């Protein structure tokens, strides 16, 4: 009897220890590295591909701009509640919003706004055009330009180039040439904790001038693998995914499964198309007929249905026509006509003279390489589809995937045949038709894009003209030329997909894909 009692006690002890270890393990698995929420605290947990400080979307929660943009590209008030522009378009008078404070308590007035503007102008595209800056009173900032510069307000609306910072945010403090070392802005959230490549914790800014956030905290959890994000979302470890990236980080093929699991999924178009950029400066793509032929060889409808379940729309223009200065006038859009494609290639001298199924010209086969930056949204699947389509017309496309930075280095040197990219979107001038942008010959990033003297003349005329209606007419001319020249292959609209659990409500898509309007979100 005594031995049985010992055995019983030993069994009970082992069982209790096992239960304790299981409970500890499950507690660790549940909380992970996340900061525990205080009782009654409303916390929104976001899954993100990139580290908080590397993501523009994160910084846009902290920093604001003098102006913003709406969905079409019209400037709207932000820290400047209004502005006046002189008749010649060379003087801007900004009337600052009153009662705005930075997260450290510094007041946003004409003096601090001037500091921020000077700091911005050192790197912003408009910097070289500024003649002087004045502060007539505590709430007014006046900017004088040497010459008219049309994209000024769009530049100011960019979080990449124009965040309004306070003098204490740079080192040395107060230097307009200083390095940004502290994330101190005026935005709805302030950074309170940060672990590189792990997470960031943001607290509501209770002194915010606008609509105050309904959540107390936001936890930005870095999960680089989108599939791991989906697992964490379904398990209830995070509340939202997809909102933290300006591209579609959620694979489109996963959307039906998310909806089936009871996850809410929202898709928003920002007019950013995935495109294949031709190297227009060398054979074979320095020939317009060849570029147009390849555009006609791809069945975009079939592509989006087979690869993405019809989620995104196919793209038949270089960028979205609904942008303020977009190609709304283009009538002859790129379609699917493989027979016409073969005809154009034959007219350009490409024929299968040896019967091997690959076109050739002057003894050289039509073989080229598509350069793919690793991680580019859906690019791998799209590349294989396009490869198959081009094979049908006798063109062989080889695939080369490089680390994103290495791929971009090659593209900026023009060292590619074809390059996977996108059409651009707000707040920059969509489609690459600004001065110094993709289709302007002074572009530093796109030496191999399509360039022409007439195109340069029209681009420079459009963006040096204060008359908006006249500018629109000139942009229409630009788009007609570009669509006839076929400088790229637009494929589909890269819709931004956001997924969230049923404990989240109040989500509203922001006007640009780089912003997140979290103020309206509630968490149960």
């Amino acid at each position: 009897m005594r031995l049985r009692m010992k055995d019983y006690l030993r069994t009970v002890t082992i069982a209790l220890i096992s239960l304790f270890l299981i409970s500890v393990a499950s507690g660790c698995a549940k909380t992970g590295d996340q900061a525990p929420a205080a009782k009654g605290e409303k916390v929104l947990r976001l899954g993100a591909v990139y580290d908080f400080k590397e993501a523009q979307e994160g910084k846009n929660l902290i920093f604001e701009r003098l102006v913003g943009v709406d969905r079409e590209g019209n400037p709207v008030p932000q820290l400047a509640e209004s502005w006046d522009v002189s008749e010649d378009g060379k003087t801007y008078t900004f009337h600052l919003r009153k009662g705005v404070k930075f997260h450290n308590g510094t007041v946003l007035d004409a003096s601090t706004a001037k500091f921020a503007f000077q700091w911005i102008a050192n790197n912003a595209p408009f910097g070289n055009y500024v003649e002087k800056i004045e502060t007539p009173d505590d709430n007014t900032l006046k900017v004088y330009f040497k010459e008219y510069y049309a994209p000024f307000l769009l530049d100011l609306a960019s979080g990449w180039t124009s965040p309004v910072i306070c003098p204490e945010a740079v080192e040395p403090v107060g230097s307009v040439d200083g390095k940004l070392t502290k994330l101190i802005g005026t935005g709805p959230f302030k950074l309170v904790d940060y672990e590189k490549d792990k997470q960031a914790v943001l607290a509501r800014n209770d002194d915010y001038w606008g609509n105050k956030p309904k959540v107390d905290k936001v936890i930005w959890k870095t999960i680089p693998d989108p599939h791991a994000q989906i697992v964490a979302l379904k398990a209830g470890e995070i509340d939202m995914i997809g909102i933290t990236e300006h591209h579609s980080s959620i694979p489109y093929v996963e959307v039906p499964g998310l909806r089936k699991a009871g996850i809410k999924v929202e898709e928003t178009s920002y007019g950013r198309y995935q495109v294949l950029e031709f190297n227009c400066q060398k054979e074979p793509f320095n020939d317009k007929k060849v570029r147009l032929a390849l555009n006609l060889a791809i069945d975009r409808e079939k592509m989006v249905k087979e690869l993405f379940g019809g989620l995104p729309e196919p793209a038949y223009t270089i960028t979205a026509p609904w942008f303020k200065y977009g190609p709304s006038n283009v009538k002859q859009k790129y379609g699917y006509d493989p027979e016409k494609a073969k005809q154009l290639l034959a007219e350009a001298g490409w024929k299968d003279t040896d019967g091997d199924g690959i076109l050739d010209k002057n003894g050289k086969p039509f073989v080229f390489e598509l350069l793919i930056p690793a991680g580019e949204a859906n690019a791998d699947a799209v590349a294989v589809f396009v490869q198959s389509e081009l094979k049908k017309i006798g063109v062989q496309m080889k695939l080369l995937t490089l680390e994103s930075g290495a791929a971009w280095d090659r593209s900026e040197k023009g060292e590619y045949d074809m390059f996977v990219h996108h059409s651009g979107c707000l707040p920059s001038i969509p489609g690459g038709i600004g001065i110094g942008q993709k289709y302007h010959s002074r572009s530093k990033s796109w030496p191999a894009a399509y360039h022409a003297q007439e195109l340069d003349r029209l681009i420079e005329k459009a963006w040096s003209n204060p008359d908006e209606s006249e500018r629109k007419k000139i942009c229409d001319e630009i788009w007609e030329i570009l669509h006839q020249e076929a400088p790229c292959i637009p494929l589909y609209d890269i819709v931004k997909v956001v997924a969230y659990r049923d404990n989240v409500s109040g989500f509203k898509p922001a006007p640009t894909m780089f912003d997140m309007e979290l103020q309206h979100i509630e968490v149960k």
Side-chain angles (χ1 to χ4, degrees):
M1 185 71 181
R2 203 173 288 169
L3 287 172
R4 286 181 186 173
M5 182 60 72
K6 284 182 180 178
D7 291 341
Y8 171 77
L9 290 172
R10 187 185 302 113
T11 302
V12 169
T13 301
I14 291 170
L16 288 171
I17 291 171
S18 299
L19 284 170
F20 172 76
L21 291 173
I22 290 170
S23 67
V24 169
S26 64
C28 290
K30 188 175 181 181
T31 59
D33 292 324
Q34 296 179 6
K39 190 174 181 180
E41 196 172 47
K42 295 178 180 178
V43 179
L44 175 66
R45 302 164 300 168
L46 306 177
V49 171
Y50 298 104
D51 175 77
F52 177 79
K53 289 188 176 181
E54 292 178 6
Q56 189 58 47
E57 289 78 0
K59 285 176 271 194
N60 283 355
L61 292 173
I62 292 174
F63 295 112
E64 296 180 294
R65 284 84 72 192
L66 285 173
V67 302
V69 288
D70 66 13
R71 179 174 167 77
E72 285 76 34
N74 298 296
V76 297
Q78 203 165 99
L79 293 177
E81 60 183 2
S82 65
W83 55 88
D84 306 308
V85 186
S86 63
E87 278 191 28
D88 63 3
K90 294 197 291 185
T91 304
Y92 287 76
T93 304
F94 294 98
H95 306 287
L96 301 175
R97 197 176 294 278
K98 296 177 182 178
V100 178
K101 291 182 180 179
F102 289 91
H103 299 156
N104 64 346
T106 298
V107 174
L108 175 71
D109 57 15
S111 174
T112 49
K114 181 180 179 181
F115 161 80
F117 189 91
Q118 290 174 311
W119 184 84
I120 291 166
N122 281 336
N123 296 297
F126 62 78
N128 291 332
Y129 294 83
V130 175
E131 182 178 19
K132 63 178 178 177
I133 308 161
E134 293 179 348
T135 54
D137 58 51
D138 286 347
N139 293 294
T140 306
L141 187 71
K142 205 163 186 177
V143 181
Y144 297 84
F145 281 77
K146 302 170 191 172
E147 58 186 270
Y148 178 70
Y149 178 76
F152 174 49
L153 294 178
L154 279 178
D155 288 354
L156 273 190
S158 170
W160 298 90
T161 59
S162 304
V164 175
I165 66 170
C166 68
E168 296 81 13
V170 299
E171 188 64 43
V173 171
S175 170
V176 295
D177 300 312
K179 181 182 179 182
L180 182 66
T181 57
K182 297 176 183 176
L183 301 187
I184 305 172
T186 59
F189 292 93
K190 49 189 177 183
L191 184 65
V192 294
D193 191 33
Y194 170 73
E195 293 179 79
K196 183 174 172 55
D197 295 327
K198 287 188 176 181
Q199 71 174 23
V201 179
L202 296 95
R204 178 178 59 213
N205 176 13
D206 290 323
D207 293 324
Y208 186 55
W209 59 267
N211 294 323
K212 292 180 176 57
K214 296 181 178 180
V215 298
D216 300 298
K217 279 184 181 178
V218 172
I219 294 178
W220 176 294
K221 193 158 184 64
T222 305
I223 307 173
D225 182 2
H227 296 283
Q229 285 190 25
I230 290 170
V231 171
L233 183 69
K234 288 180 177 179
E237 295 169 7
I238 50 180
D239 302 307
M240 292 185 85
I241 61 174
I243 193 171
T244 53
E245 274 75 49
H246 57 266
H247 56 81
S248 182
S249 61
I250 300 174
Y252 293 154
V253 294
E254 298 290 346
V255 169
L258 285 166
R259 286 184 169 138
K260 191 174 180 181
I263 302 294
K264 181 75 173 173
V265 180
E266 307 256 6
E267 305 120 31
T268 306
S269 168
Y270 289 100
R272 192 188 211 203
Y273 294 171
Q274 187 166 74
V275 300
L276 305 180
E277 297 287 349
F278 291 115
N279 186 327
C280 298
Q281 306 303 317
K282 68 175 187 177
E283 291 186 341
F285 300 129
N286 58 351
D287 188 327
K288 178 172 75 172
K289 288 184 177 180
V290 173
R291 299 194 298 267
L292 184 56
L294 268 61
N295 259 291
L296 297 174
I298 298 167
D299 189 343
R300 295 162 175 82
E301 294 260 358
K302 181 182 178 183
M303 180 187 70
V304 297
K305 285 177 183 175
E306 288 190 357
L307 299 185
F308 310 130
L311 182 72
E313 291 289 327
Y316 299 105
T317 54
I318 293 172
T319 193
W322 46 261
F323 285 130
K324 187 174 181 179
Y325 298 109
S328 57
N329 63 308
V330 173
K331 302 294 186 291
Q332 191 66 38
K333 300 176 174 62
Y334 306 127
Y336 177 56
D337 192 342
E339 293 308 312
K340 178 68 173 176
K342 292 175 185 176
Q343 178 188 328
L344 286 168
L345 289 171
E347 290 174 7
W350 292 96
K351 299 175 183 179
D352 184 8
T353 60
D354 55 10
D356 65 351
I358 303 296
L359 302 178
D360 55 84
K361 180 179 178 180
N362 300 326
K364 184 179 179 181
F366 199 146
V367 179
F368 74 94
E369 185 177 78
L370 174 66
L371 179 58
I372 307 168
E376 184 72 26
N378 304 301
D380 293 338
V382 167
V384 172
F385 181 90
V386 172
Q387 185 182 52
S388 174
E389 292 286 274
L390 296 183
K391 186 177 179 181
K392 296 173 187 176
I393 62 166
V395 175
Q396 183 179 352
M397 181 175 81
K398 295 182 178 180
L399 309 180
L400 175 64
T401 300
L402 294 180
E403 184 272 327
S404 182
W408 274 103
D409 284 345
R410 282 187 52 170
S411 75
E412 289 178 355
K413 295 174 184 175
E415 296 175 355
Y416 62 91
D417 299 323
M418 185 185 281
F419 183 64
V420 179
H421 192 237
H422 55 77
S423 62
C425 60
L426 295 169
S428 63
I429 299 169
I433 62 166
I435 295 172
Q437 290 188 343
K438 187 186 299 180
Y439 298 120
H440 187 255
S441 64
R442 293 210 305 268
S443 170
K444 294 180 180 177
S445 301
W446 293 99
Y450 176 78
H451 299 139
Q453 286 185 350
E454 176 62 5
L455 199 57
D456 280 356
R457 185 186 72 80
L458 289 170
I459 287 173
E460 289 162 16
K461 184 179 177 182
W463 300 105
S464 59
N465 194 325
D467 187 327
E468 288 196 5
S469 61
E470 187 64 25
R471 186 184 310 141
K472 173 59 179 167
K473 290 177 185 177
I474 300 169
C475 286
D476 286 346
E477 289 185 62
I478 292 168
W479 286 122
E480 283 293 345
I481 291 172
L482 283 172
H483 273 266
Q484 290 170 16
E485 294 293 338
C488 66
I489 303 177
L491 294 172
Y492 67 92
D493 184 353
I494 310 175
V495 293
K496 181 170 178 173
V497 177
V498 175
Y500 52 92
R501 295 179 60 80
D502 60 6
N503 64 320
V504 174
S505 62
F507 167 70
K508 284 175 57 178
T512 81
M513 61 178 13
F514 301 99
D515 290 304
M516 298 185 289
E517 294 192 346
L518 301 186
Q519 298 96 301
H520 313 287
I521 290 180
E522 295 187 72
V523 178
K524 292 186 220 172

